[in-house]
Amino acid sequence: MSVTPQHPRIVIVGAGIVGLNTALVLSRRGLGQSIVVVAEHLPGDTSINYASPWAGANFSAISGSDPNALRWDRLGYSHLMQLAQTRGRESFVQRTPSVEYWDEGFPADKINSISEYMQDFSVLPQEELPDGAAFGAAFTTVTLNAPKHLEWLFSYLRTEFGVRFVRKKLAHVNDAFSEGASSLVFNYTGNSPWSNGSAILGGYMQKGVSTSDTFSHETESILRRTDELSPEIHRGPSPDIVGVVAGLRPSREGGARVEKVEVEVGGQARVLVHKYGAGGTGYRAGYGMALDAVASVDDVLKQCVEQPSKARL
């Protein structure tokens, strides 16, 4: 006889990096078998509307400098570094040296924050900056093979923790409660290492543009700019371009939203946690956002643990 929950008590809507990180945080609290992830797209899919596989996926300094962003960055860096050190090859995460140049000034509070935890962090002197750069920094980052990392998380959550996945497009986030959750839904909908010598070159951030189309003049601009900054990439024969893609970065004015709200479904009070709008910072900030989202419903999670499971013969 095995004792398992007859219905999932926790539903996560969305199987991008933020949703999967939340499933990981919850699973590490012993709740894996109480979780079902409901999503239209799952790891291995390549739809333009499934944003996470299209990420460059490294830890960069491009995120905001508000207190939430600074805290999420710190937590995310620690998490990814730990993965790189303990499960790097299987999770497709590795430590790599990084140099960033900015064409505008860099917030002092951001510098003060990241210099406390980023390994090998140093601000580059002005004379070492290329023409047009106002700021530069060197540090040890973490780089991920985004689609492979998603597939690893997908497998790891199922085999190690018993998390279930359902491919389904919901008409409304409240419909997730009909999947069997007794009281709790997490909403994560918003709209490379070991790669045989291949590299991701990018890119453009174009606010308000949602097309998957790519344009030759933009590709040529990316190649020209990367050649100017990193000429070693193009030494020797002309590089083979494996593919040119555009990915969506669902963002939110004012920063990502992590908020617990109460909703009424079928005459009963339910708890819904919104966590979306990370834009291009999902791999960096997603784990910290997941920790905040889970912490906001500690009282509900205790009920999930204490509620007796039904026996199944």
Side-chain angles (χ1 to χ4, degrees), residues 133-280:
F135 176 83
F139 51 89
T140 297
T141 187
V142 281
T143 305
L144 302 89
N145 182 320
K148 291 296 185 181
H149 181 67
L150 293 173
E151 291 175 18
W152 172 76
L153 272 174
F154 184 46
S155 174
Y156 184 62
L157 289 167
R158 288 182 298 167
T159 58
E160 295 295 320
F161 299 107
V163 175
R164 285 165 287 170
F165 288 79
V166 174
R167 184 187 295 277
K168 184 176 182 180
K169 183 177 182 178
L170 300 178
H172 190 278
V173 67
N174 284 1
D175 294 343
F177 289 103
S178 67
E179 296 298 319
S182 61
S183 57
L184 181 58
V185 166
F186 290 86
N187 172 35
Y188 300 133
T189 56
N191 180 32
S192 131
W194 300 294
S195 55
N196 299 321
S198 299
I200 297 174
L201 306 181
Y204 281 90
M205 181 176 289
Q206 298 168 313
K207 184 176 179 180
V209 177
S210 58
T211 178
S212 61
D213 297 341
T214 61
F215 301 94
S216 60
H217 69 277
E218 294 177 349
T219 302
E220 292 166 1
S221 173
I222 291 170
L223 291 171
R224 183 183 68 254
R225 288 181 285 127
T226 53
D227 186 43
E228 292 172 353
L229 291 173
S230 300
E232 67 275 9
I233 293 176
H234 293 161
R235 285 178 185 155
S238 298
D240 293 326
I241 300 177
V242 178
V244 180
V245 298
L248 301 182
R249 300 291 180 266
S251 303
R252 179 175 178 269
E253 291 288 350
R257 180 188 186 190
V258 178
E259 182 182 6
K260 169 188 172 183
V261 297
E262 290 190 359
V263 297
E264 185 174 309
V265 179
Q268 293 184 325
R270 304 292 182 93
V271 176
L272 175 64
V273 181
H274 292 296
K275 185 161 76 76
Y276 58 83

Side-chain angles (χ1 to χ4, degrees), residues 28-90:
R28 287 174 170 171
R29 293 182 58 162
L31 293 166
Q33 293 187 23
S34 296
I35 300 169
V36 63
V37 179
V38 180
E40 180 181 8
H41 301 292
L42 298 174
D45 295 356
T46 55
S47 169
I48 184 63
N49 294 311
Y50 185 31
S52 291
W54 303 105
N58 68 343
F59 195 98
S60 171
I62 64 170
S63 59
S65 57
D66 59 276
N68 280 338
L70 295 179
R71 185 177 71 260
W72 294 336
D73 278 1
R74 183 188 294 266
L75 293 168
Y77 188 84
S78 175
H79 165 66
L80 291 172
M81 276 293 182
Q82 181 69 16
L83 265 186
Q85 293 166 5
T86 60
R87 295 177 175 269
R89 185 164 291 275
E90 64 182 284

Side-chain angles (χ1 to χ4, degrees), residues 75-142:
L75 293 168
Y77 188 84
S78 175
H79 165 66
L80 291 172
M81 276 293 182
Q82 181 69 16
L83 265 186
Q85 293 166 5
T86 60
R87 295 177 175 269
R89 185 164 291 275
E90 64 182 284
S91 66
F92 295 88
V93 181
Q94 70 177 22
R95 300 170 73 254
T96 51
S98 179
V99 177
E100 289 193 3
Y101 300 116
W102 290 68
D103 58 6
E104 57 186 24
F106 203 72
D109 52 352
K110 180 86 169 182
I111 297 174
N112 293 336
S113 177
I114 62 180
S115 65
E116 292 177 354
Y117 63 86
M118 271 191 169
Q119 297 179 16
D120 308 311
F121 179 84
S122 64
V123 176
L124 300 179
Q126 189 68 35
E127 59 269 19
E128 293 184 13
L129 301 181
D131 292 342
F135 176 83
F139 51 89
T140 297
T141 187
V142 281

